[in-house]
Amino acid sequence: VSALYISNNVGKSAPVLEMNKIVVPPGQRANLTLSDGTNVWLNARTKIVYPAVFDKSVRQVAVDGEAYFEVTPDKDRPFVVKAADLEITVLGTAFDVCAYKDDNEVSVVLLTGKVDVASESNRYVMQPDEKLVYDRNTGTMQVGKVYSKEYVEWTDGNLRFENESLENIVKVLSRVYNVKIVFDSAFPEGQYFFTGSIGSGGITNALDILSMTSSLHYEVRDSVIVLHKK
């Protein structure tokens, strides 16, 4: 899997951490192992900034995009993920965070262990098989029960949606497959929702599945995919 890798020593005169950055291009995914043994999977158009070596008190990374973490337990050093307006603190656990800067909602799905999710005005300690959705406009959090493993199918090249609007699905497909998808001017907004999995057969396979389960069809115009209502 290809990714743009940048190593940046943020300072030489002061005893600061050497910071690394990985930026995953559209249409790609990446996997890395941090210095403490934590495994991280990065989805398309995701950026992560992390120390080359964690310090002795805390393990902290910053994410813009979607990442799945399997955190190495360390009771003396919490693992902290900064994602949009949220701070997610764990000791050892597996969870997915989706926090693209151009999305209004930030989601956290917990597979194992516990995570403490904090915003400026709220805090919630999650249990396994819970999904937390944070609204960046209102600052509110909503939590519900889910089958958490479905939310990390993207690490194997699959896409899982749970009552997701077609508008949001199109944003995901554009990121994952690095294509431009638009609706025609007559397409009704907010009327189509989809639950199910889309395998790794490419953008044509994904659009064929959506076409079979909804009243839409698509065409390609000058490398742009246009969606129409049947």
Side-chain angles (χ1 to χ4, degrees), residues 131-219:
K131 178 182 180 180
L132 181 149
V133 178
Y134 171 76
D135 189 308
R136 300 177 71 176
N137 288 336
T138 64
T140 57
M141 295 180 179
Q142 292 185 333
V143 180
K145 295 292 290 185
V146 295
Y147 183 56
S148 57
K149 289 185 178 179
E150 293 180 342
Y151 287 84
V152 295
E153 288 186 11
W154 63 264
T155 62
D156 294 319
N158 302 317
L159 298 173
R160 172 69 187 180
F161 300 104
E162 188 71 32
N163 196 31
E164 192 66 68
S165 71
L166 182 59
E167 287 78 12
N168 284 341
I169 291 172
V170 164
K171 291 176 68 174
V172 173
L173 295 179
S174 297
R175 273 195 302 252
V176 169
Y177 295 112
N178 193 24
V179 294
K180 184 176 182 180
I181 307 174
V182 299
F183 295 93
D184 74 10
S185 58
F187 200 98
E189 294 185 8
Q191 292 190 13
Y192 297 103
F193 295 83
F194 178 79
T195 294
S197 294
I198 297 175
S200 55
I203 183 61
T204 300
N205 175 67
L207 292 171
D208 286 343
I209 291 174
L210 291 174
S211 297
M212 288 186 292
T213 57
S214 64
S215 299
L216 69 85
H217 69 95
Y218 66 93
E219 64 173 327

Side-chain angles (χ1 to χ4, degrees), residues 3-216:
L4 173 63
Y5 178 86
I6 303 172
S7 178
N8 176 31
N9 191 337
V10 296
K12 296 182 179 180
S13 59
V16 296
L17 297 176
E18 178 183 343
M19 302 300 292
N20 292 337
K21 177 170 70 173
I22 288 180
V23 180
V24 183
Q28 300 290 328
R29 298 187 309 277
N31 172 239
L32 71 148
T33 301
L34 304 181
S35 63
D36 65 336
T38 291
N39 288 316
V40 188
W41 287 258
L42 304 172
N43 210 343
R45 275 189 55 209
T46 296
K47 178 177 73 176
I48 185 170
V49 179
Y50 62 97
V53 179
F54 289 116
D55 67 22
K56 297 180 179 180
S57 60
V58 68
R59 300 171 290 168
Q60 181 169 299
V61 304
V63 171
D64 171 13
E66 183 169 17
Y68 169 58
F69 292 85
E70 290 183 351
V71 179
T72 299
D74 186 339
K75 62 182 181 63
D76 297 320
R77 290 189 302 170
F79 192 95
V80 179
V81 179
K82 300 267 193 178
D85 304 325
L86 297 182
E87 184 172 288
I88 305 161
T89 304
V90 306
L91 293 177
T93 189
F95 67 98
D96 181 86
V97 57
C98 187
Y100 286 96
K101 62 183 179 182
D102 55 348
D103 286 348
N104 176 53
E105 292 184 343
V106 179
S107 67
V108 183
V109 176
L110 181 61
L111 282 78
T112 62
K114 290 184 179 180
V115 297
D116 182 326
V117 182
S119 68
E120 192 172 284
S121 57
N122 289 294
R123 168 172 266 116
Y124 183 80
V125 178
M126 296 181 64
Q127 304 294 324
D129 286 324
E130 284 188 337
K131 178 182 180 180
L132 181 149
V133 178
Y134 171 76
D135 189 308
R136 300 177 71 176
N137 288 336
T138 64
T140 57
M141 295 180 179
Q142 292 185 333
V143 180
K145 295 292 290 185
V146 295
Y147 183 56
S148 57
K149 289 185 178 179
E150 293 180 342
Y151 287 84
V152 295
E153 288 186 11
W154 63 264
T155 62
D156 294 319
N158 302 317
L159 298 173
R160 172 69 187 180
F161 300 104
E162 188 71 32
N163 196 31
E164 192 66 68
S165 71
L166 182 59
E167 287 78 12
N168 284 341
I169 291 172
V170 164
K171 291 176 68 174
V172 173
L173 295 179
S174 297
R175 273 195 302 252
V176 169
Y177 295 112
N178 193 24
V179 294
K180 184 176 182 180
I181 307 174
V182 299
F183 295 93
D184 74 10
S185 58
F187 200 98
E189 294 185 8
Q191 292 190 13
Y192 297 103
F193 295 83
F194 178 79
T195 294
S197 294
I198 297 175
S200 55
I203 183 61
T204 300
N205 175 67
L207 292 171
D208 286 343
I209 291 174
L210 291 174
S211 297
M212 288 186 292
T213 57
S214 64
S215 299
L216 69 85

